Amino acid sequence: MIYAGIDIGSRSIELVLVENEKVIETRQTDTGFDPVSQAQKIMEGVKFDQIMATGYGRNLFEVAYDDASTVTEIKAHAAGVRLEFPEALAILDIGGQDSKSIRLNDQGRVVKFEMNDRCAAGTGKFLEIMAHNLGFSLDEFGPAALAAQKDLQINSMCTVFAESEVTSLIAKGQDRQEIARGLHSSVVKRAVGMLNRVGAQEPIVFSGGVAQNPCIVQMMADALGKEILVPDHPQMMGALGAAMIIATTQQIKN
């Protein structure tokens, strides 16, 4: 039996196929303005027996596909992370336009979580906009910030106000790498606060697209004084978890 998990996020869609608890295929595409159409495209030519959707677009997907099941992002990420890191007790997930911190018990069940989905502050979208304003590509942004000697304080996490601060600092001739580090520092402070509020304990796993940013990972570890574990493909954790949940559900039924 082949089981599929699809994570329809605000910025990207991920598809994972598993068979006998092993990943056999992964796909990714931009969400665009029509999530269901993009989901249809990413599934073209793919064969599976059951599918489960997660992410902000999961309900749209369920309407379009009568035989699809859905699961919350929190449960999906918990299942995906625990498959790769069975010892994980906490998860920080920062995606395109939301972030979440999750505390797990020894059995991998969600004990407490906090989610920021009301604005893009401290998310991948925030970093993308700030990178553009400073003349960096998104891939360059993290390494550039990591190379800075110091960080310049950014007072606002609101994207609009932060843009204004950045423009002002550039006009004063401040080093753009130091501005970049200051922006990364503000994201880390917000993330650390979320982890602390759920009582996160080690091992802590960082998932989502922002986990690919080396500066955020390093600054998180420094701020917490703890090791931060990062999956090889952090953006796939939600889809992987959804696939594993539907596989387990079907196996129990059978």
Side-chain angles (χ1 to χ4, degrees):
M1 297 284 284
I2 297 176
Y3 300 98
I6 187 166
D7 184 359
I8 305 175
S10 58
R11 304 283 291 166
S12 64
I13 299 174
E14 288 78 35
L15 178 72
V16 172
L17 301 183
V18 299
E19 185 176 20
N20 297 323
E21 297 191 358
K22 292 184 182 291
V23 176
I24 60 172
E25 187 172 352
T26 64
R27 293 185 178 187
Q28 185 179 43
T29 190
D30 292 335
T31 303
F33 61 88
D34 188 346
V36 173
S37 292
Q38 289 297 90
Q40 289 173 336
K41 288 179 182 178
I42 203 175
M43 293 191 301
E44 286 179 0
V46 173
K47 294 182 179 180
F48 52 82
D49 296 288
Q50 295 285 336
I51 189 167
M52 176 168 274
T54 190
Y56 97 104
R58 64 184 183 275
N59 293 325
L60 291 173
F61 188 84
E62 186 178 28
V63 171
Y65 294 88
D66 292 336
D67 59 344
S69 302
T70 63
V71 64
T72 67
E73 296 166 69
I74 302 298
K75 289 182 178 179
H77 278 271
V81 165
R82 286 284 291 207
L83 183 66
E84 291 211 13
F85 299 96
E87 72 281 13
L89 292 177
I91 302 166
L92 173 67
D93 176 76
I94 304 181
Q97 296 197 72
D98 66 27
S99 55
K100 40 195 167 284
S101 59
I102 307 166
R103 177 159 61 96
L104 308 173
N105 62 17
D106 293 337
Q107 289 73 48
R109 293 186 178 276
V110 176
V111 176
K112 189 176 182 181
F113 71 90
E114 180 169 317
M115 188 167 182
N116 167 43
D117 59 356
R118 296 187 180 279
C119 73
T123 66
K125 182 64 175 177
F126 175 85
L127 291 170
E128 183 181 338
I129 291 171
M130 296 307 145
H132 179 265
N133 287 345
L134 287 169
F136 294 111
S137 70
L138 197 55
D139 289 339
E140 295 171 334
F141 198 36
L146 202 54
Q149 297 300 309
K150 64 177 181 178
D151 61 276
L152 295 175
Q153 182 175 340
I154 305 297
N155 296 309
S156 178
M157 283 301 295
C158 170
T159 304
V160 175
F161 293 138
E163 278 189 284
S164 179
E165 280 192 66
V166 167
T167 300
S168 178
L169 289 169
I170 292 172
K172 292 176 182 177
Q174 298 287 3
D175 185 270
R176 66 181 186 138
Q177 287 188 332
E178 294 178 357
I179 299 172
R181 191 173 181 90
L183 288 162
H184 281 68
S185 180
S186 65
V187 171
V188 168
K189 286 177 183 176
R190 188 181 184 92
V192 168
M194 290 182 68
L195 285 171
N196 288 337
R197 285 191 290 276
V198 300
Q201 298 178 347
E202 290 184 276
I204 300 172
V205 178
F206 191 0
S207 67
V210 176
Q212 296 173 311
N213 183 309
C215 186
I216 297 289
V217 175
Q218 183 61 59
M219 293 180 78
M220 284 290 302
D222 292 343
L224 291 167
K226 300 173 181 177
E227 182 183 7
I228 302 296
L229 304 175
V230 180
D232 290 336
H233 304 286
Q235 288 176 289
M236 295 292 172
M237 291 300 99
L240 174 60
M244 290 308 301
I245 289 170
I246 189 63
T248 302
T249 302
Q250 292 302 312
Q251 288 165 8
I252 291 173
K253 286 181 179 180
N254 295 333

